[in-house]
Amino acid sequence: MTLQEFLTDLQRYIGDDADTITWWQMSLRAMLLFLWGLVLVRIGGRRAFGRNSAFDIVLAVVIGSSISRAITAGAPFFPTIVAMTVLVGLHAVLTHLSFRWRLVGALVKGRDTRLVRDGALDWEAMRRTGITERDLREAAHRRGLAGVDDIRDAYIERSGDVTVIPKDRDDA
């Protein structure tokens, strides 16, 4: 059996059209796309699907949307698989380039922003990033600190997490 014959037979099993696809064809599509999704996660690595930077979220949303449309035959099955694979490959290339060149990393993933410097809140940076004093207090509490007064430095990371560095006991 040639590859073309195999793909033709598979297309017959999974259906072509959203109006005529049966429940079992949709189920078969879902299983195949689930398995291919697992392959893509392995190819993309933990970074691609386990972090929360805008760069990673966009990939996850597009992959999820593509999978859902392919399951219901709202998008063609094989071209969707190819497109998802290309996106994961592009993500991997951009991740590699970001590692090599800081400018690419900043463009693709963003930059961290210092919110507190030596115990002083940077109100302009907080306004720009949408971080409130309450957000800083919450981050301090997660770090086991009583409040904002115990923070020496704080950053909003590229992932959106707020990192807090406590004052040394000698600083207090």
Side-chain angles (χ1 to χ4, degrees), residues 7-34 67-78 81:
L7 293 176
T8 300
D9 286 346
L10 184 58
Q11 188 68 46
R12 196 172 313 122
Y13 287 121
I14 63 173
D16 282 331
D17 189 292
D19 295 329
T20 61
I21 192 170
T22 64
W23 69 268
W24 63 267
Q25 288 172 318
M26 191 178 298
S27 298
L28 180 58
R29 283 171 168 260
M31 287 186 297
L32 292 171
L33 287 164
F34 177 79
I67 287 174
S68 72
R69 290 184 37 81
I71 287 173
T72 61
F77 189 81
F78 293 111
I81 286 177

Side-chain angles (χ1 to χ4, degrees), residues 5 9 18 25 27 37 44-45 56 65 72 76 80 88 113 121 131 137:
E5 291 170 335
D9 286 346
Q25 288 172 318
S27 298
D56 302 319
S65 173
T72 61
T80 300
V88 169
T113 301
L121 278 61
I131 299 295
R137 186 176 29 236

Side-chain angles (χ1 to χ4, degrees), residues 9-133:
D9 286 346
L10 184 58
Q11 188 68 46
R12 196 172 313 122
Y13 287 121
I14 63 173
D16 282 331
D17 189 292
D19 295 329
T20 61
I21 192 170
T22 64
W23 69 268
W24 63 267
Q25 288 172 318
M26 191 178 298
S27 298
L28 180 58
R29 283 171 168 260
M31 287 186 297
L32 292 171
L33 287 164
F34 177 79
L35 293 173
W36 188 248
L38 287 175
V39 169
L40 290 179
V41 168
R42 291 292 184 207
I43 291 170
R46 290 182 185 169
R47 162 124 188 88
F49 295 96
R51 300 285 302 266
N52 291 325
S53 71
F55 175 62
D56 302 319
I57 290 170
V58 168
L59 177 67
V61 167
V62 171
I63 294 290
S65 173
S66 298
I67 287 174
S68 72
R69 290 184 37 81
I71 287 173
T72 61
F77 189 81
F78 293 111
T80 300
I81 286 177
V82 171
M84 290 186 325
T85 305
V86 167
L87 286 175
V88 169
L90 176 62
H91 185 275
V93 167
L94 289 173
T95 298
H96 176 74
L97 294 175
S98 295
F99 181 78
R100 293 183 58 102
W101 292 294
R102 183 174 283 172
L103 177 62
V104 174
L107 291 172
V108 170
K109 299 177 188 178
R111 300 176 191 261
D112 62 345
T113 301
R114 184 177 255 176
L115 303 170
V116 178
R117 179 186 305 263
D118 296 324
L121 278 61
D122 183 338
W123 291 102
E124 177 56 28
M126 291 169 58
R127 185 194 60 74
R128 251 188 356 266
T129 59
I131 299 295
T132 66
E133 192 170 355

